[in-house]
Amino acid sequence: MVSADTAGPTFELTAEPPDVDTLAVGFTEYGLAGFTAVDYLVDQMEMEQVGYLDSAGPPTITPFEDGTPRHHTRLYADEDASLGVVISERFVPPQMAESFADAVDDVYAQLTPTNLTVLSGVPVAHGPEDHVPFYIATEDYRERYLSDTDIRAMGRVLRRATAELVARGIPDDERPVGVFTTPAHPQAPDAAAAVRLVEALSATHDVDVDTEPLAEFAATVEAQYRALAERIEATQEEMMPDDRMYM
């Protein structure tokens, strides 16, 4: 928990948050899959911003849209969906994982959810058959949310802030913690991976959200990258000199 005497980031509430069942977290990571997933939830469900991360020291980034700046890490909540969302547009460096987890602990205590769920894409070698969601979860999370699903376990070591959040849930019987993850690609955003993460959350929690617009966006992004790759390949072939060694 973050106290008043603790030097570190804390969430500043800008509105009275409702009690929620699920607190979902998405970071700026490889492929932006988790970030894109929670950003889609906020936008599609028209969630209200109820707080932001008040970081110690100057911000490393200040995002903006249409000339209007915003805090890089924000807290949203929706009473009807009983869902809270922490979205971070700033990469959380390893040395800040513990202090960031402290701030999330504080938010968790104020919103009193029944679980913490992290959405995250990972860079891992994979084939088309692995374009599905996987999980890493504490025992109580598995029993409560995953026992009746076909979502498979992921065999990887967690790192950075996600690892810190999950580790804190292992000895805490009052906080089931789970991670939905999926292989992500380097092009950003990997919207197709984000679709898989949102669908995993929707299938295991009482979160009703239409993923069709995000799936359409994913198809558009994939087509754009495919066309770009074809243009690059064609350019490289045009620039390749003729091999006249054997003439």
Side-chain angles (χ1 to χ4, degrees), residues 2 11 15 19 30 38 55 59 63 72 76 94 119 122 132 137 165 202 208 221-223 227-229 238 245:
V2 178
F11 276 91
D19 291 341
Y30 183 88
V38 294
S55 302
H72 55 67
Y76 294 85
L119 305 181
V122 292
V132 294
L165 291 170
S202 179
D208 184 15
V221 171
E222 182 180 355
L228 177 61
E238 291 174 1
M245 180 178 294

Side-chain angles (χ1 to χ4, degrees), residues 98-135:
E98 185 173 355
S99 60
F100 184 87
D102 286 339
V104 174
D105 278 354
D106 191 48
V107 165
Y108 192 92
Q110 294 182 70
L111 271 63
T112 63
T114 60
N115 70 98
L116 176 66
T117 301
V118 182
L119 305 181
S120 175
V122 292
V124 57
H126 65 281
E129 70 279 0
D130 292 322
H131 282 172
V132 294
F134 296 85
Y135 76 81

Side-chain angles (χ1 to χ4, degrees), residues 7-244:
T10 59
F11 276 91
E12 183 75 21
L13 295 182
T14 57
E16 184 66 28
D19 291 341
V20 299
D21 287 334
T22 298
L23 180 61
V25 181
F27 305 107
T28 294
E29 298 176 300
Y30 183 88
L32 297 182
F35 168 81
T36 302
V38 294
D39 184 60
Y40 181 77
L41 290 171
V42 168
D43 182 68
Q44 188 75 6
M45 303 177 74
E46 299 182 345
M47 301 179 72
E48 177 188 2
Q49 183 176 340
V50 295
Y52 64 89
L53 188 69
D54 186 9
S55 302
T60 53
I61 66 165
T62 300
F64 63 90
E65 184 174 1
D66 296 330
T68 303
R70 59 179 177 264
H71 297 283
H72 55 67
T73 303
R74 302 176 301 281
L75 172 66
Y76 294 85
D78 185 277
E79 185 174 11
D80 292 336
S82 198
L83 176 67
V85 166
V86 173
I87 178 171
S88 180
E89 294 188 64
R90 183 187 71 174
F91 170 74
V92 180
Q95 63 270 24
M96 287 191 62
E98 185 173 355
S99 60
F100 184 87
D102 286 339
V104 174
D105 278 354
D106 191 48
V107 165
Y108 192 92
Q110 294 182 70
L111 271 63
T112 63
T114 60
N115 70 98
L116 176 66
T117 301
V118 182
L119 305 181
S120 175
V122 292
V124 57
H126 65 281
E129 70 279 0
D130 292 322
H131 282 172
V132 294
F134 296 85
Y135 76 81
I136 305 100
T138 58
E139 183 177 356
D140 45 359
Y141 191 102
R142 295 196 305 270
E143 292 176 352
R144 187 175 301 183
Y145 300 104
L146 300 172
S147 58
D148 295 328
T149 74
D150 57 0
I151 300 176
R152 292 180 284 165
M154 170 69 81
R156 282 184 60 86
V157 175
L158 290 171
R159 298 180 180 178
R160 302 187 178 94
T162 301
E164 184 69 27
L165 291 170
V166 173
R168 294 182 182 206
I170 296 174
D172 188 350
D173 294 335
E174 300 300 320
R175 183 170 69 168
V177 181
V179 179
F180 289 121
T181 187
T182 191
H185 300 106
Q187 67 266 22
D190 188 341
V195 170
R196 298 193 291 271
L197 297 176
V198 172
E199 289 178 342
L201 180 69
S202 179
T204 54
H205 295 66
D206 191 18
V207 176
D208 184 15
V209 59
D210 179 15
T211 59
E212 186 61 29
L214 184 56
E216 292 175 356
F217 174 64
T220 299
V221 171
E222 182 180 355
Q224 290 173 344
Y225 275 102
R226 188 183 305 114
L228 177 61
E230 291 174 354
R231 288 199 299 271
I232 292 175
E233 183 178 356
T235 301
Q236 290 174 339
E237 290 178 353
E238 291 174 1
M239 296 176 61
M240 186 69 67
D242 293 335
D243 187 354
R244 301 176 182 275

